[in-house]
């Protein structure tokens, strides 16, 4: 495809959107793709067995191709999308993230300027796509922070908003279709062995994140179990992305671990109190960011949600450690399409 002046051929871009019951957001996501400043070669939504109106909504866009399949998980859907498209660059986009208008143009420019890169992925904004309350505001703000602080060359890729050269995809292989969680981390291990990965704020979008407290904690607990199986070693790879830093995790463990001592003495309450105090200041950069962006009055609420999230994380890691010790198959390495 040529630029408007006809002098510079630009790589073709195929946008792949896996979808499972995202009728709330799919229209905003598709429209954000169609409004990109960089011409898009094709847009394919792979519907993974949705039971809501999202496939019907997608059919209302004549420039978007809908591919349907039985529910197989996000890895299966993304792999299917790669097979169904022909673009030189694959741009994977989750069905709850609406891109900023220049996101694809910026990703393509970076891949052209830095030809050694394997892929480029982006950072979500500080505000939700649809504001559904305090839990979601916390989630989006924290997600923006931990990705933004790590921008540059990294060794982890997240496919929520990611541009990858087709030849790289074909060389490294598809996503592991046996994984419905932690598939990004498993793929990162293979990709980082061959190519640098770039995380950049210039590839941006607005995320509609989880807004229910119970669902947020359940999701974190489930995903944290897999940290033991797939992400423990990756965490120590140079440039690996970490959503939560170790001091906060340790402070949470100390807080909960010292609670049983209250059965022996009321004076033991100093243990949980010190643990909570440590947790509140465990990440000074995050604290400064939240206070600067939302004000000092908001910070205690942020810390409260953040502590609950860390509690689910610690519980999940503990459960994952038990599973790793008792289930021989839990840590079995798996990769490639089924």
């Amino acid at each position: 495809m040529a630029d408007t002046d006809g002098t510079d051929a630009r790589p073709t871009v195929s946008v792949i959107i896996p979808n499972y019951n995202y009728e709330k957001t799919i229209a905003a996501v598709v429209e954000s793709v169609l409004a990109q400043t960089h011409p898009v070669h094709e847009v394919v939504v792979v519907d993974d067995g949705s039971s809501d109106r999202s496939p019907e909504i997608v059919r209302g866009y004549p420039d978007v191709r809908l591919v349907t399949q039985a529910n197989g998980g996000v890895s299966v859907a993304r792999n299917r999308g790669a097979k169904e498209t022909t673009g030189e660059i694959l741009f994977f986009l989750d069905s709850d993230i609406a891109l900023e208008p220049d996101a694809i143009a910026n990703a393509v420019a970076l891949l052209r300027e830095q030809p050694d890169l394997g892929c480029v992925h982006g950072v979500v904004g500080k505000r939700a796509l649809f504001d559904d309350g305090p839990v979601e505001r916390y989630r989006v703000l924290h997600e923006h922070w931990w990705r933004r602080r790590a921008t540059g060359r990294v060794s982890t890729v997240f496919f929520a908003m990611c541009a990858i050269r087709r030849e790289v995809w074909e060389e490294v292989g598809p996503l592991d279709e046996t994984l419905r969680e932690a598939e990004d981390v498993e793929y990162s291990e293979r990709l980082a062995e061959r190519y640098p990965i770039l995380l950049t704020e210039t590839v941006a979008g607005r995320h509609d994140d989880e807004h229910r407290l119970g669902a947020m904690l359940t999701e974190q607990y489930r995903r944290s179990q897999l940290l033991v199986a797939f992400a423990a070693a990756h965490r120590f790879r140079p440039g690996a992305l970490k959503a939560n830093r170790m001091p906060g995790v340790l402070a949470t463990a100390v807080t909960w671990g010292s609670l049983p001592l209250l059965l022996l003495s009321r004076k033991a309450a100093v243990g949980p109190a010190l643990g909570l105090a440590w947790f509140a200041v465990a990440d000074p950069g995050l604290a400064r960011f939240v206070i600067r962006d939302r004000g000092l009055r908001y910070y205690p609420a942020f810390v409260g949600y953040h502590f609950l999230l860390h509690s689910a994380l610690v519980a999940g890691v503990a459960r994952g450690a038990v599973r790793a010790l008792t289930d021989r198959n839990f840590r079995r390495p798996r990769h490639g399409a089924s």
Side-chain angles (χ1 to χ4, degrees), residues 139 141-151 158 199 241-244 286:
R139 287 283 283 176
L141 193 64
H142 179 237
E143 183 181 16
H144 172 80
W145 159 253
W146 69 259
R147 294 198 187 195
R148 191 191 73 171
R149 75 181 175 191
T151 52
F158 291 116
L199 175 63
L241 298 181
K242 306 173 185 68
N244 300 290
L286 174 60

Side-chain angles (χ1 to χ4, degrees), residues 8-238:
D8 183 24
R10 291 185 285 187
T12 54
V13 178
S14 297
V15 178
I16 299 164
I17 306 172
N19 173 69
Y20 179 69
N21 289 341
Y22 276 95
E23 66 177 1
K24 174 185 174 185
T25 58
I26 192 65
V29 174
V30 167
E31 289 172 11
S32 77
V33 173
L34 298 177
Q36 289 296 295
T37 59
H38 185 287
V40 174
H41 174 60
E42 58 190 336
V43 184
V44 173
V45 174
V46 181
D47 187 76
D48 194 36
S50 293
S51 58
D52 66 0
R53 293 181 54 254
S54 52
E56 178 184 342
I57 294 170
V58 173
R59 289 189 185 99
Y61 294 93
D63 295 328
V64 177
R65 182 154 58 98
L66 177 67
V67 176
T68 59
Q69 63 180 34
N71 182 261
V74 69
S75 296
V76 175
R78 287 173 178 150
N79 289 345
R80 176 75 181 276
K83 292 175 183 177
E84 294 280 345
T85 56
T86 61
E88 298 164 86
I89 293 175
L90 303 175
F91 194 103
F92 293 96
L93 178 65
D94 278 2
S95 49
D96 57 0
I97 297 179
L99 294 175
E100 295 299 331
D102 60 353
I104 291 178
N106 291 336
V108 170
L110 287 166
L111 287 173
R112 296 182 72 181
E113 292 164 5
Q114 303 179 53
D116 63 319
L117 288 176
C119 75
V120 172
H121 61 122
V123 177
V124 298
K126 295 185 291 184
R127 303 295 184 263
L129 177 57
F130 300 115
D131 188 340
D132 292 311
V135 172
E136 184 174 25
R137 289 174 207 141
Y138 154 72
R139 287 283 283 176
V140 172
L141 193 64
H142 179 237
E143 183 181 16
H144 172 80
W145 159 253
W146 69 259
R147 294 198 187 195
R148 191 191 73 171
R149 75 181 175 191
T151 52
R153 293 203 170 196
V154 297
S155 57
T156 307
V157 56
F158 291 116
F159 280 88
M161 193 167 40
C162 169
I164 183 169
R165 304 176 196 276
R166 182 175 290 276
E167 62 265 28
V168 172
W169 173 265
E170 292 175 349
E171 176 187 343
V172 176
L175 289 157
D176 187 335
E177 295 188 354
T178 67
L179 297 177
R180 289 177 179 253
E181 305 276 1
E183 75 285 345
D184 304 271
V185 176
E186 189 281 327
Y187 196 89
S188 298
E189 283 291 288
R190 288 185 276 145
L191 180 60
E193 291 290 337
R194 297 172 172 87
Y195 295 98
I197 300 164
L198 184 67
L199 175 63
T200 174
E201 279 190 273
T202 67
V203 178
R206 289 176 296 147
H207 188 198
D208 189 61
D209 213 322
E210 180 57 62
H211 66 279
R212 299 163 297 170
L213 180 60
M216 178 186 78
L217 299 180
T218 299
E219 178 184 60
Q220 183 64 61
Y221 174 74
R222 184 181 68 249
R223 290 182 174 179
S224 296
Q225 293 182 50
L226 296 174
L227 288 175
V228 177
F230 300 105
H234 181 76
R235 184 179 179 89
F236 296 100
R237 178 187 284 273

Side-chain angles (χ1 to χ4, degrees), residues 272-294:
L274 288 175
L276 286 172
W278 178 18
F279 180 83
V281 298
D283 192 338
L286 174 60
R288 288 192 297 269
F289 168 73
V290 172
I291 293 170
R292 184 169 59 249
D293 188 73
R294 295 293 181 92

Side-chain angles (χ1 to χ4, degrees), residues 227-274:
L227 288 175
V228 177
F230 300 105
H234 181 76
R235 184 179 179 89
F236 296 100
R237 178 187 284 273
L241 298 181
K242 306 173 185 68
N244 300 290
R245 290 187 165 177
M246 191 55 66
V249 175
L250 293 175
T252 305
V254 166
T255 301
W256 287 109
S258 60
L259 278 177
L261 297 177
L262 289 172
L263 298 174
L264 302 177
S265 170
R266 291 182 180 179
K267 294 181 179 179
V270 68
L274 288 175

